[in-house]
Amino acid sequence: MRQVTKTVRDATGAFDILRDVDFSLDAGATAAIVGASGSGKSTLLSIIAGLDVPTRGTVHLAGQDLFALDEDGRAALRAREVGFVFQSFQLMAHLSALENVMLPLELAGRGDARARATDMLARVGLAARLKAYPRVLSGGEQQRVALARAFVVQPSLLLADEPTGSLDYATGESVMALMFALNREQGTTLVLVTHDRGIAARCERRITLEAGRVVA
């Protein structure tokens, strides 16, 4: 990211959510984005993914200038390179655990979607829950399905927004241990937004935002 600024306007005038954010991460690195509520963490994560567009500045992902692409181009790059884990899980309620994990593979035209999704769900400890729908899964199980869905495409970058925010301590610890294990095994760059100091301390890099600026 180079000199990334995000400015919004309301009735009171212009306001910078992010101001001149500048950093880079090596492939396979782990980084935590930390800061007080309203400091711009989730906006920063959305810009890294190309879901939100900066007012100015550049973002390069996997060697590509992200905002030199149109919206369709950014979506195609995300499909190839990026996985997401959301605090609210974002599972498809009408799909089983297996079907949720198969979905990104099917969208990518993979013929081995069922086998790969089955293997990944077994990897996250859900081999016995393949046919279960989100409504009957616990919070921890839903988060593990979300994690399996994110990692099954073997993304070069995984973005996680408060991945343990809605989980109890023990379940959160289990999910984070799994996330770091998959990071090591697949060499995926891991970027987390978190309020949890313990999780942040486990990352190689801490990016601290204060009023939209990187201060550490």
Side-chain angles (χ1 to χ4, degrees):
M1 304 195 79
R2 292 290 176 262
Q3 303 299 304
V4 169
T5 294
K6 177 66 176 182
T7 304
V8 297
R9 295 181 180 276
D10 60 19
T12 64
F15 174 73
D16 289 336
I17 299 175
L18 297 172
R19 291 184 287 176
D20 298 321
V21 173
D22 194 273
F23 67 86
S24 61
L25 294 173
D26 292 332
T30 57
I33 300 173
V34 300
S37 295
S39 59
K41 302 186 300 299
S42 292
T43 299
L44 178 57
L45 205 67
S46 293
I47 288 175
I48 293 172
L51 292 169
D52 198 356
V53 179
T55 305
R56 63 175 183 272
T58 59
V59 179
H60 282 79
L61 171 61
Q64 175 67 56
D65 184 346
L66 200 52
F67 297 104
L69 301 172
D70 61 16
E71 188 172 348
D72 288 343
R74 293 196 298 274
L77 182 64
R78 278 195 300 274
R80 295 193 306 270
E81 303 288 350
V82 183
F84 296 90
V85 179
F86 299 96
Q87 181 178 348
S88 56
F89 314 134
Q90 301 282 343
L91 300 179
M92 304 294 286
H94 64 287
L95 300 181
S96 67
L98 179 60
E99 290 165 340
N100 265 284
V101 179
M102 288 174 60
L103 184 60
L105 295 169
E106 291 178 325
L107 291 173
R110 294 291 300 259
D112 58 350
R114 180 172 293 272
R116 287 174 62 86
T118 300
D119 288 346
M120 183 55 70
L121 282 165
R123 177 68 184 82
V124 300
L126 292 176
R129 303 289 271 162
L130 300 183
K131 296 182 180 180
Y133 287 84
R135 65 179 179 274
V136 300
L137 297 172
S138 69
E141 287 174 330
Q142 290 184 61
Q143 192 64 301
R144 282 186 280 162
V145 173
L147 193 58
R149 182 182 59 187
F151 269 103
V152 76
V153 295
Q154 296 184 306
S156 61
L157 173 65
L158 181 76
L159 303 172
D161 194 357
E162 297 287 359
T164 63
S166 58
L167 304 177
D168 62 71
Y169 176 79
T171 304
E173 281 293 299
S174 174
V175 166
M176 288 310 306
L178 181 59
M179 189 175 294
F180 281 106
L182 292 171
N183 158 258
R184 291 191 299 270
E185 291 171 14
Q186 295 191 4
T188 301
T189 306
L190 181 60
V191 181
L192 311 171
V193 165
T194 184
H195 284 96
D196 189 316
R197 293 182 180 182
I199 292 173
R202 293 165 68 176
C203 294
E204 299 161 351
R205 174 89 177 270
R206 186 181 304 189
I207 299 165
T208 302
L209 288 179
E210 186 175 300
R213 291 186 181 275
V214 174
V215 295

